[in-house]
Short mmCIF file of all heavy atoms in Angstrom, two decimals:
data_model
loop_
_atom_site.label_atom_id
_atom_site.label_comp_id
_atom_site.label_asym_id
_atom_site.label_seq_id
_atom_site.Cartn_x
_atom_site.Cartn_y
_atom_site.Cartn_z
N TYR A 1123 112.03 96.46 83.10
CA TYR A 1123 111.77 97.28 81.94
C TYR A 1123 110.28 97.15 81.63
O TYR A 1123 109.59 96.37 82.27
CB TYR A 1123 112.67 96.86 80.77
CG TYR A 1123 114.12 96.81 81.18
CD1 TYR A 1123 114.70 95.62 81.62
CD2 TYR A 1123 114.90 97.95 81.19
CE1 TYR A 1123 116.03 95.58 82.05
CE2 TYR A 1123 116.22 97.93 81.60
CZ TYR A 1123 116.79 96.74 82.04
OH TYR A 1123 118.08 96.71 82.46
N ASP A 1124 109.77 97.85 80.69
CA ASP A 1124 108.34 97.88 80.42
C ASP A 1124 107.87 96.52 79.91
O ASP A 1124 108.03 96.20 78.74
CB ASP A 1124 108.02 98.98 79.40
CG ASP A 1124 106.53 99.21 79.23
OD1 ASP A 1124 105.75 98.60 79.98
OD2 ASP A 1124 106.15 99.99 78.35
N GLY A 1125 107.32 95.74 80.82
CA GLY A 1125 106.82 94.42 80.44
C GLY A 1125 107.76 93.27 80.74
O GLY A 1125 107.39 92.11 80.55
N ILE A 1126 108.96 93.56 81.23
CA ILE A 1126 109.93 92.51 81.56
C ILE A 1126 110.54 92.82 82.92
O ILE A 1126 111.13 93.89 83.11
CB ILE A 1126 111.04 92.40 80.51
CG1 ILE A 1126 110.46 92.09 79.14
CG2 ILE A 1126 112.07 91.34 80.91
CD1 ILE A 1126 111.49 92.10 78.02
N GLY A 1127 110.41 91.91 83.86
CA GLY A 1127 111.05 92.04 85.16
C GLY A 1127 111.85 90.78 85.46
O GLY A 1127 111.33 89.66 85.35
N LEU A 1128 113.11 90.94 85.82
CA LEU A 1128 114.00 89.81 86.07
C LEU A 1128 114.64 89.97 87.45
O LEU A 1128 115.26 91.00 87.75
CB LEU A 1128 115.10 89.74 85.01
CG LEU A 1128 114.64 89.52 83.57
CD1 LEU A 1128 115.76 89.82 82.60
CD2 LEU A 1128 114.16 88.08 83.38
N ASP A 1129 114.50 88.95 88.29
CA ASP A 1129 115.19 88.93 89.57
C ASP A 1129 116.63 88.47 89.36
O ASP A 1129 116.91 87.60 88.53
CB ASP A 1129 114.48 87.98 90.54
CG ASP A 1129 113.08 88.45 90.87
OD1 ASP A 1129 112.94 89.61 91.29
OD2 ASP A 1129 112.13 87.65 90.69
N VAL A 1130 117.54 89.03 90.16
CA VAL A 1130 118.96 88.74 90.04
C VAL A 1130 119.37 87.82 91.19
O VAL A 1130 119.12 88.11 92.36
CB VAL A 1130 119.80 90.03 90.09
CG1 VAL A 1130 121.29 89.70 90.05
CG2 VAL A 1130 119.41 90.95 88.94
N ILE A 1131 120.01 86.71 90.83
CA ILE A 1131 120.57 85.78 91.82
C ILE A 1131 122.06 85.67 91.57
O ILE A 1131 122.48 85.30 90.47
CB ILE A 1131 119.92 84.39 91.72
CG1 ILE A 1131 118.43 84.47 92.08
CG2 ILE A 1131 120.62 83.40 92.64
CD1 ILE A 1131 117.71 83.14 92.00
N GLN A 1132 122.87 86.01 92.57
CA GLN A 1132 124.31 85.84 92.43
C GLN A 1132 124.67 84.38 92.72
O GLN A 1132 124.21 83.80 93.71
CB GLN A 1132 125.07 86.76 93.39
CG GLN A 1132 126.57 86.74 93.16
CD GLN A 1132 127.32 87.75 94.03
OE1 GLN A 1132 126.79 88.24 95.02
NE2 GLN A 1132 128.54 88.05 93.65
N LEU A 1133 125.48 83.80 91.86
CA LEU A 1133 125.95 82.42 91.99
C LEU A 1133 127.47 82.45 91.95
O LEU A 1133 128.08 82.36 90.89
CB LEU A 1133 125.36 81.54 90.88
CG LEU A 1133 123.82 81.46 90.83
CD1 LEU A 1133 123.37 80.75 89.57
CD2 LEU A 1133 123.27 80.77 92.08
N ARG A 1134 128.08 82.59 93.11
CA ARG A 1134 129.52 82.84 93.21
C ARG A 1134 130.33 81.56 93.02
O ARG A 1134 129.99 80.53 93.60
CB ARG A 1134 129.83 83.45 94.57
CG ARG A 1134 129.11 84.76 94.84
CD ARG A 1134 128.96 85.04 96.32
NE ARG A 1134 128.08 84.08 96.95
CZ ARG A 1134 127.68 84.16 98.23
NH1 ARG A 1134 128.10 85.17 98.98
NH2 ARG A 1134 126.87 83.24 98.74
N GLY A 1135 131.38 81.65 92.20
CA GLY A 1135 132.26 80.49 92.06
C GLY A 1135 132.82 80.31 90.67
O GLY A 1135 134.02 80.15 90.51
N HIS A 1136 131.95 80.32 89.66
CA HIS A 1136 132.47 80.25 88.29
C HIS A 1136 133.27 81.51 88.00
O HIS A 1136 134.37 81.45 87.45
CB HIS A 1136 131.32 80.09 87.30
CG HIS A 1136 131.75 79.96 85.87
ND1 HIS A 1136 132.49 78.90 85.40
CD2 HIS A 1136 131.57 80.78 84.80
CE1 HIS A 1136 132.74 79.06 84.12
NE2 HIS A 1136 132.19 80.21 83.72
N THR A 1137 132.71 82.64 88.35
CA THR A 1137 133.43 83.91 88.50
C THR A 1137 132.88 84.57 89.76
O THR A 1137 131.79 84.20 90.23
CB THR A 1137 133.23 84.86 87.29
OG1 THR A 1137 131.88 85.30 87.26
CG2 THR A 1137 133.62 84.19 85.98
N PRO A 1138 133.58 85.55 90.31
CA PRO A 1138 133.07 86.17 91.55
C PRO A 1138 131.72 86.85 91.38
O PRO A 1138 130.91 86.88 92.32
CB PRO A 1138 134.16 87.20 91.89
CG PRO A 1138 135.40 86.69 91.23
CD PRO A 1138 134.93 86.04 89.97
N GLY A 1139 131.47 87.41 90.20
CA GLY A 1139 130.24 88.17 89.99
C GLY A 1139 129.23 87.50 89.11
O GLY A 1139 128.33 88.18 88.56
N SER A 1140 129.30 86.19 88.93
CA SER A 1140 128.32 85.49 88.10
C SER A 1140 126.91 85.69 88.65
O SER A 1140 126.68 85.58 89.87
CB SER A 1140 128.62 83.99 88.05
OG SER A 1140 129.75 83.71 87.27
N VAL A 1141 125.98 85.98 87.76
CA VAL A 1141 124.59 86.15 88.16
C VAL A 1141 123.68 85.35 87.24
O VAL A 1141 124.02 85.07 86.08
CB VAL A 1141 124.16 87.63 88.14
CG1 VAL A 1141 124.86 88.41 89.24
CG2 VAL A 1141 124.39 88.27 86.78
N ALA A 1142 122.53 84.99 87.78
CA ALA A 1142 121.46 84.38 87.00
C ALA A 1142 120.28 85.35 86.98
O ALA A 1142 120.11 86.14 87.92
CB ALA A 1142 121.04 83.04 87.60
N PHE A 1143 119.49 85.27 85.92
CA PHE A 1143 118.32 86.13 85.77
C PHE A 1143 117.06 85.27 85.78
O PHE A 1143 116.95 84.32 85.01
CB PHE A 1143 118.42 86.93 84.48
CG PHE A 1143 119.61 87.86 84.45
CD1 PHE A 1143 120.75 87.52 83.74
CD2 PHE A 1143 119.59 89.04 85.15
CE1 PHE A 1143 121.85 88.36 83.72
CE2 PHE A 1143 120.69 89.89 85.15
CZ PHE A 1143 121.82 89.55 84.43
N VAL A 1144 116.13 85.63 86.65
CA VAL A 1144 114.94 84.82 86.90
C VAL A 1144 113.71 85.52 86.34
O VAL A 1144 113.41 86.67 86.71
CB VAL A 1144 114.75 84.59 88.41
CG1 VAL A 1144 113.51 83.72 88.66
CG2 VAL A 1144 116.00 83.94 89.01
N TYR A 1145 113.00 84.83 85.46
CA TYR A 1145 111.74 85.36 84.92
C TYR A 1145 110.60 84.48 85.42
O TYR A 1145 110.43 83.34 84.96
CB TYR A 1145 111.75 85.39 83.39
CG TYR A 1145 110.46 85.94 82.83
CD1 TYR A 1145 110.20 87.31 82.85
CD2 TYR A 1145 109.47 85.10 82.33
CE1 TYR A 1145 109.01 87.82 82.37
CE2 TYR A 1145 108.27 85.60 81.86
CZ TYR A 1145 108.05 86.97 81.87
OH TYR A 1145 106.86 87.46 81.42
N PRO A 1146 109.79 84.98 86.38
CA PRO A 1146 108.66 84.20 86.87
C PRO A 1146 107.48 84.30 85.90
O PRO A 1146 107.24 85.35 85.30
CB PRO A 1146 108.33 84.86 88.21
CG PRO A 1146 108.80 86.28 88.05
CD PRO A 1146 109.95 86.26 87.09
#
């Protein structure tokens, strides 16, 4: 989004589609 970029990392196991959001 304008001024915010987040990389998506899937972390499977807690739920099938669990994701983490990474802000460098």
Side-chain angles (χ1 to χ4, degrees):
Y1123 308 94
D1124 189 6
I1126 300 174
L1128 298 165
D1129 296 306
V1130 177
I1131 296 179
Q1132 187 175 18
L1133 300 171
R1134 300 156 294 186
H1136 182 65
T1137 68
S1140 287
V1141 291
F1143 298 101
V1144 181
Y1145 180 77

